[in-house]
Amino acid sequence: MSSVASGGGAAVRRSADRPGLTLSCFLPYRLNVVAAVASEGLARIYSERFGISIAEWRVLATLGEFRSITASEIARHAHLSKVKVSRAASALEARSLLRRRTNERDLRETFLALTVEGRTMYGHIAPLALDYAGRLAACLSSEEQALLDQLLEKLLLHAQDMPGPSASGR
Amino acid sequence: MSSVASGGGAAVRRSADRPGLTLSCFLPYRLNVVAAVASEGLARIYSERFGISIAEWRVLATLGEFRSITASEIARHAHLSKVKVSRAASALEARSLLRRRTNERDLRETFLALTVEGRTMYGHIAPLALDYAGRLAACLSSEEQALLDQLLEKLLLHAQDMPGPSASGR
DNA sequence: TATTGTTATACTCTATAACTATA
DNA sequence: TATAGTTATAGAGTATAACAATA
């Protein structure tokens, strides 16, 4: 009786011994494994070949997309903490890939933008990244890709405002 | 310059300036964000409430599923390195949650199994984890859940035997 | 020689909070 | 008081390789 789990809210009977959890079918685990495997090759591209970290890549990619935005906007867009953005920006700035400029309307804020060199590097990495993502998704039909996208989006929005640890079991 | 990049097969034109990469639509990024968000709450359950790490949780879950298996089998099943399994097993053993026993047929191997205490803890955590996963997946219909599962599986198998960094661009 | 598993090392990443400066 | 951003600190996690035992 591996029992289990109407997700909704129904109480479920389980044997004390076999609560019916199968790791390979456990959604959070699966998402992590797929994400890790999917990132491995890509991370090698930008770490080994361009010497940048994941956080730096995300900042680079965000600035490649939006020419000049504030650090906190990058944090939101790239799903990074402000600390990580600050560190990544410092590292990129030290290599002259990025420039900081204070917002004159609100002196607390800083606009970040790629330098010409930064934009050049972005021009090198982005096609490789796109190619990689393309090859990754190539095992899915375009309908499947769209579907996956929708499902991930739904999941993300839902997960973001899910109560913490087991509301029922506190 | 940025020219390049036939993805799966179709050549794509891009401006040198805007290689057309949108972070929020970039599959590896999306997978990582969803996985991270989906894990947050869960990790809190077993770290704060039970004092175990993710690796330890995976070992625990694997042993909850397969009563007694070798360390390397756990590594394969739980997608962990042998070092991580070894460390996690030591930590669990130190808390008397797990027992190691040498395989008498091949003295290099060690069988790991949960102790009664370990099984008890598993019995506490597994239902919480299942509940969490259930609430997570509750935003999807059961058809959608099955579909997501299939898509993730396909993606995983494909990603695992994908050539490293851009085969074309080496 | 290859494999299982453990340990050591150094390194990176991370979270937290303290801090500066503005608002 | 609250916010944007930086810096400091310490702790956790990581990869790598070296190692012992066995095959």
Side-chain angles (χ1 to χ4, degrees):
Chain A
M1 99 177 44
S2 57
S3 63
V4 173
S6 77
V12 181
R13 272 158 152 281
R14 298 192 192 92
S15 118
D17 238 57
R18 285 202 116 269
L21 195 159
T22 306
L23 191 61
S24 58
C25 300
F26 187 58
L27 188 55
Y29 168 77
R30 303 208 77 207
L31 288 169
N32 270 287
V33 170
V34 174
V37 173
S39 297
E40 260 169 37
L42 184 63
R44 227 172 293 142
I45 293 181
Y46 40 78
S47 77
E48 286 182 8
R49 287 166 70 171
F50 296 92
I52 62 178
S53 70
I54 290 179
E56 284 161 43
W57 154 248
R58 288 196 188 172
V59 170
L60 201 69
T62 304
L63 290 174
E65 206 180 324
F66 309 96
R67 306 210 151 245
S68 178
I69 62 178
T70 67
S72 58
E73 281 170 331
I74 293 184
R76 262 189 299 282
H77 185 75
H79 207 264
L80 294 168
S81 72
K82 65 178 184 172
V83 176
K84 283 185 196 170
V85 172
S86 175
R87 292 244 156 79
S90 295
L92 293 173
E93 192 180 36
R95 293 170 64 187
S96 303
L97 298 170
L98 170 155
R99 191 171 18 86
R100 295 190 224 227
R101 192 167 49 75
T102 301
N103 180 4
E104 292 173 2
R105 309 286 209 73
D106 181 340
L107 298 176
R108 294 172 303 180
E109 291 187 338
T110 321
F111 285 117
L112 305 183
L114 296 182
T115 59
V116 174
E117 296 98 305
R119 201 149 278 279
T120 300
M121 173 174 275
Y122 176 70
H124 286 306
I125 303 182
L128 293 175
L130 278 169
D131 172 67
Y132 181 87
R135 285 186 293 126
L136 185 65
C139 66
L140 306 177
S141 70
S142 38
E143 290 82 14
E144 287 175 322
Q145 289 179 29
L147 210 52
L148 177 62
D149 235 54
Q150 286 170 35
L151 296 175
L152 289 178
E153 185 65 19
K154 232 187 214 181
L155 210 51
L156 178 63
L157 294 175
H158 175 66
Q160 272 170 341
D161 52 40
M162 230 177 71
S166 170
S168 55
R170 171 143 31 144
Chain B
M1 201 170 254
S2 77
S3 55
V4 203
S6 73
V12 182
R13 272 154 151 286
R14 295 191 194 92
S15 113
D17 238 58
R18 289 201 113 271
L21 195 159
T22 307
L23 191 60
S24 58
C25 299
F26 187 58
L27 187 54
Y29 168 78
R30 303 207 78 205
L31 288 169
N32 271 286
V33 170
V34 174
V37 173
S39 298
E40 259 168 39
L42 183 63
R44 226 172 294 143
I45 293 180
Y46 40 77
S47 79
E48 285 180 11
R49 287 167 68 171
F50 297 91
I52 63 177
S53 70
I54 290 179
E56 284 160 43
W57 154 248
R58 289 196 187 173
V59 169
L60 200 70
T62 304
L63 290 174
E65 205 180 325
F66 309 95
R67 304 210 151 245
S68 176
I69 63 178
T70 66
S72 58
E73 282 170 330
I74 293 183
R76 263 189 298 283
H77 185 75
H79 208 263
L80 293 170
S81 71
K82 64 179 185 173
V83 176
K84 283 186 198 169
V85 172
S86 174
R87 291 245 157 77
S90 295
L92 293 173
E93 192 180 36
R95 293 170 64 186
S96 304
L97 298 170
L98 168 155
R99 189 170 22 84
R100 295 191 225 227
R101 191 167 50 75
T102 302
N103 179 5
E104 294 173 0
R105 308 287 208 75
D106 181 341
L107 299 175
R108 294 172 305 181
E109 292 186 336
T110 321
F111 285 116
L112 305 184
L114 296 183
T115 60
V116 174
E117 297 98 306
R119 201 149 280 278
T120 301
M121 175 175 274
Y122 176 70
H124 287 305
I125 302 182
L128 292 176
L130 278 170
D131 172 68
Y132 180 87
R135 285 187 292 125
L136 185 64
C139 66
L140 306 177
S141 70
S142 37
E143 290 82 14
E144 287 175 321
Q145 290 180 28
L147 211 50
L148 177 62
D149 235 53
Q150 286 169 35
L151 295 175
L152 290 178
E153 185 64 18
K154 236 189 212 181
L155 210 50
L156 179 62
L157 293 176
H158 176 65
Q160 273 170 339
D161 53 39
M162 232 178 68
S166 173
S168 55
R170 167 115 58 125

